[in-house]
Amino acid sequence: MSVASFRLFALRGALLAVLAVSIGGCTALEQIAALQRVAFALDRTADTQIGGVPLTSLQNYNDLSAVQLLQLGTAVTRGELPLNFTLFVDATNPSENATAARLVNFDWTLFLDGSETVSGTYNNETLLPPGQTVGIPLDIRLDLIQFFGNNLPDLVELALAVSDLGGSGKEIRLQATPSINTALGPIRYPGALTIVKADVGS
């Protein structure tokens, strides 16, 4: 191959590489824009337990049986009172958004009644098609005594508010930073989102 032919071959290769990056970059920008149009909201909680006591049939602290009170009191005496639940976050990709968003990572921090508590990561790849709402389940565990002291009635009422997703007037919210898969690889959302329960009809 002559020097001139080699230079022409190299120039063609460089142009193809630039074109590929440009196409990939445009696709990545479209996917980033798609994620920015996705609406996140807290939907519901499931399988809420405090100190191993299920809260599905309880309305307030006085509904606890003697056995359950003994169980929780023993846990408080040990200095720990675990709260376990699954929090479902709805991700809605609007129908006018022509691009599906592919969520690959979801870093989150839970705030209860204004206090920052635990953090975690959801790293199951999830496709968010246009016009659909997809539930993202977050399995959460925290020690209530670590963050809120050892007053058992107050801790139970807070746990019940979590079970009812803020129905007792307690604020429940997430700060989250999603990441999406793009033609250029995973890209992290540029800033943290504040996610709360959606108002009915919103």
Side-chain angles (χ1 to χ4, degrees):
M1 179 183 292
S2 67
V3 173
S5 297
F6 176 79
R7 287 177 177 171
L8 180 59
F9 178 80
L11 179 60
R12 288 176 177 172
L15 290 174
L16 287 174
V18 170
L19 180 61
V21 170
S22 298
I23 293 173
C26 290
T27 302
L29 290 175
E30 289 175 357
Q31 291 170 327
I32 293 171
L35 182 65
Q36 290 177 334
R37 289 189 289 269
V38 171
F40 294 90
L42 304 187
D43 176 39
R44 59 188 171 88
T45 59
D47 302 323
T48 308
Q49 295 187 3
I50 178 174
V53 175
L55 297 182
T56 52
S57 61
L58 302 179
Q59 298 296 320
N60 54 58
Y61 177 80
N62 294 326
D63 290 335
L64 291 167
S65 68
V67 173
Q68 291 170 332
L69 283 171
L70 178 61
Q71 181 177 338
L72 297 180
T74 301
V76 171
T77 301
R78 292 197 305 265
E80 62 176 10
L81 190 61
L83 174 66
N84 301 273
F85 61 100
T86 300
L87 175 62
F88 288 89
V89 178
D90 276 351
T92 302
N93 197 355
S95 56
E96 61 269 19
N97 188 356
T99 304
R102 189 175 295 275
L103 185 73
V104 294
N105 190 272
F106 189 81
D107 294 330
W108 55 266
T109 298
L110 175 70
F111 289 77
L112 294 179
D113 205 20
S115 297
E116 180 177 344
T117 62
V118 294
S119 299
T121 298
Y122 178 84
N123 54 16
N124 292 332
E125 185 168 320
T126 304
L127 183 66
L128 308 176
Q132 295 187 28
T133 296
V134 178
I136 302 171
L138 307 179
D139 293 324
I140 298 178
R141 183 188 189 280
L142 67 148
D143 179 11
L144 290 177
I145 290 179
Q146 177 183 352
F147 298 102
F148 300 101
N150 60 3
N151 185 297
L152 182 57
D154 288 348
L155 297 180
V156 170
E157 293 300 330
L158 179 58
L160 287 168
V162 170
S163 180
D164 195 30
L165 202 56
S168 300
K170 302 288 187 181
E171 181 193 48
I172 300 172
R173 60 184 169 92
L174 286 181
Q175 282 189 350
T177 307
S179 297
I180 56 169
N181 197 25
T182 73
L184 300 180
I187 295 180
R188 187 175 172 86
Y189 198 77
L193 304 173
T194 296
I195 303 174
V196 296
K197 184 175 180 179
D199 294 330
V200 174
S202 65

